[in-house]
Amino acid sequence: MTSRSQSRALYERACQLIPGGVNSPVRAFRAVGGAPLFIARGEGATIWDEDGNSYVDFVGSWGPLILGHAHPEVVAAVREASAHGLTYGAPNKREIALAEAVVGAYPGLEQVRFVSSGTEATMSAIRLARGATGRDLIVKFAGCYHGHGDHLLVNAGSGLVTFGQPSSAGVPKAFAELTRVLPLDDEDALAALFAAEGNRIAAVIIEPIPANNGLLLQRKTFLEALRTHTKAAGALLIFDEVISGFRVGPGGAAAHYGITPDLATFGKIIGGGLPVGAFGGTRRIMAHIAPEGGVYQAGTLSGNPVAMAAGATTLAILQRDSVWARLEELGGLLEHKMTPVLANAPMAVGQVRLGSLAWFFFQEGNAPRAAAAVDSAAGARFAPVFHALLERGMYVAPSAYEVLFLSSAHTPQHIAQFADAFGASLQQAAKGERP
Ligand code: PMP
């Protein structure tokens, strides 16, 4: 068995100093058991842990690394920018370059404001929506994650329309009461909520390609209904494209489905691996943001020149090298290679994919489209498969409900290795053997 003694020792040290040993809970291996790997290095599609083991990486830092680790041109851009100073707290021209790239690519966008994370982007978009409409209610969908802002850390129970229940301690009930939670894929629930409260709704926020509770691909007609209801009620439609932005194509889910939201949020890829988020919309709506308007929003490191350089370089390479076409080919190959593996699997596993996002769901039947259709027992079936994959040098997210991210650094050979490893891991897990 592979030695992971260095990772384990580091984890024990980290646990003394950092809650749970991690700076973001999804990194802990709580759902699958064991200690997380401590990563020493990444290059292309490969990561190395502190014990010197290598893995083909299908996490890609949870989305940003669409070009793989340490892409030479992105690293060079970071070096070049950082040699001119790391931060100024004053305007710099690199902000304009990234803003032009984002505004130019995304349907309906006229202005963006940069922040430092996806969470900040969605929090700010919500405040802007409230400020612009003068309304308080926010609608989100069960199974969609929008970062850890108070009003968005609200989950669904059952029922057609659920009043928000905080899904974290520390979120005041009074905040959660301003959030309505709807099921995905349900036009009737949507219509009922708008009939009852449409004129109180500031915004509906959705991951148009929900990728935080498996990959819950929506019917286009459902997203169209959302557009119709929000427009009729004078509520803003916010597409949270933190994952899908620049991953499914330059115009994100908006271009993919041909539906233009009022506001969009970005993160991950637009920072090229450095901390960047953004929210944007038309000039008319964005004029509500300070210093032009009365909705306050700010950040010491917002528009950081080094991060802007990493993001702008990444977006330029995506365009120049037709990376999306290549990712679609790789994704198609993954699907193709996995089809016989899953057909012969000793347990129920299905697959669903959009471009370079793929999800293997450990349950019977078709790909679920709503959170309630995702089997909560899948995690237990996935855990031994995860460890068997790790033993075979394949690094996927430590949860049954996370997607795989492909990058342009993956090769057909990596994909074939993954499919073989997955088949063998399923067999091993079904026999109850622990690696
Ligand atoms: N929105 C979506 C759709 C996300 O996937 C995430 C993070 N996974 C966020 C917002 C929050 O982004 P961050 O972790 O950068 O705060």
Side-chain angles (χ1 to χ4, degrees):
M1 188 181 158
T2 315
S3 169
R4 302 211 179 86
S5 56
Q6 293 296 329
S7 277
R8 178 157 286 282
L10 289 164
Y11 178 55
E12 281 164 16
R13 264 174 68 196
C15 284
Q16 299 303 315
L17 300 163
I18 300 167
V22 292
N23 281 307
S24 196
V26 289
R27 297 177 195 169
F29 278 17
R30 294 279 164 102
V32 292
L37 303 184
F38 273 65
I39 304 303
R41 188 161 76 84
E43 188 183 326
T46 308
I47 50 173
W48 287 264
D49 66 17
E50 290 284 357
D51 290 279
N53 306 306
S54 70
Y55 306 85
V56 185
D57 180 15
F58 292 94
V59 181
S61 192
W62 305 81
L65 299 181
I66 194 167
L67 300 176
H69 292 268
H71 188 286
E73 288 176 79
V74 179
V75 172
V78 166
R79 280 216 177 93
E80 195 270 328
S82 56
H84 291 87
L86 298 177
T87 174
Y88 316 124
N92 68 87
K93 68 180 180 192
R94 296 180 204 275
E95 295 166 279
I96 302 173
L98 187 57
E100 277 171 350
V102 175
V103 165
Y106 195 86
L109 219 60
E110 291 176 341
Q111 290 196 328
V112 281
R113 168 65 59 87
F114 290 117
V115 293
S116 300
S117 69
T119 294
E120 271 185 88
T122 55
M123 267 169 45
S124 307
I126 294 291
R127 186 179 306 138
L128 169 57
R130 286 175 163 152
T133 59
R135 301 173 179 182
D136 287 341
L137 288 188
I138 295 296
V139 182
K140 77 174 286 283
F141 291 88
C144 287
Y145 177 67
H146 304 291
H148 62 90
D150 281 341
H151 291 99
L152 296 169
L153 259 192
V154 176
N155 226 322
S158 53
L160 212 56
V161 177
T162 315
F163 286 83
Q165 289 291 329
S167 54
S168 163
V171 175
K173 201 162 178 346
F175 286 14
E177 279 166 9
L178 295 175
T179 304
R180 301 286 181 267
V181 183
L182 285 174
L184 287 163
D185 188 44
D186 188 340
E187 279 96 329
D188 291 344
L190 183 65
L193 178 63
F194 270 90
E197 298 191 288
N199 60 1
R200 295 181 59 211
I201 296 171
V204 177
I205 185 166
I206 187 169
E207 285 180 81
I209 299 174
N212 275 291
N213 191 357
L215 185 61
L216 305 177
L217 295 185
Q218 297 302 290
R219 290 170 294 113
K220 185 178 174 185
T221 46
F222 175 69
L223 296 172
E224 283 168 345
L226 202 53
R227 181 64 284 186
T228 306
H229 281 292
T230 44
K231 197 166 262 171
L236 302 184
L237 177 60
I238 306 173
F239 274 3
D240 181 352
E241 303 248 25
V242 167
I243 285 182
S244 49
F246 293 92
R247 179 160 285 278
V248 301
H256 180 77
Y257 289 110
I259 299 170
T260 303
D262 300 297
L263 288 170
T265 56
F266 302 91
K268 303 197 191 257
I269 289 174
I270 64 162
L274 293 188
V276 180
F279 61 100
T282 58
R283 220 166 266 124
R284 189 178 58 80
I285 295 178
M286 295 301 282
H288 289 272
I289 289 285
E292 280 196 57
V295 177
Y296 196 69
Q297 190 283 327
T300 300
L301 293 176
S302 295
N304 173 271
V306 183
M308 296 290 106
T313 305
T314 298
L315 299 193
I317 295 170
L318 288 172
Q319 292 282 4
R320 183 195 69 197
D321 295 352
S322 308
V323 168
W324 295 290
R326 183 174 148 64
L327 288 174
E328 176 55 34
E329 271 174 38
L330 276 176
L333 181 67
L334 176 66
E335 200 172 330
H336 176 72
K337 291 272 181 203
M338 287 298 292
T339 299
V341 171
L342 301 184
N344 297 318
M347 61 181 92
V349 191
Q351 62 175 332
V352 54
R353 177 187 72 87
L354 181 63
S356 56
L357 295 170
W359 183 44
F360 300 102
F361 49 95
F362 284 67
Q363 65 183 70
E364 303 277 355
N366 294 330
R369 284 202 293 250
V374 177
D375 186 351
S376 60
R381 296 192 280 272
F382 169 77
V385 180
F386 169 84
H387 285 288
L389 280 169
L390 207 57
E391 201 60 24
R392 289 172 172 78
M394 298 292 144
Y395 187 71
V396 299
S399 160
Y401 310 106
E402 299 288 351
V403 297
L404 273 74
F405 294 94
L406 299 181
S407 77
S408 59
H410 286 105
T411 62
Q413 200 188 350
H414 289 134
I415 302 292
Q417 283 170 356
F418 176 81
D420 287 348
F422 204 103
S425 297
L426 288 173
Q427 297 297 338
Q428 188 179 339
K431 286 193 206 124
E433 292 168 10
R434 289 291 292 194

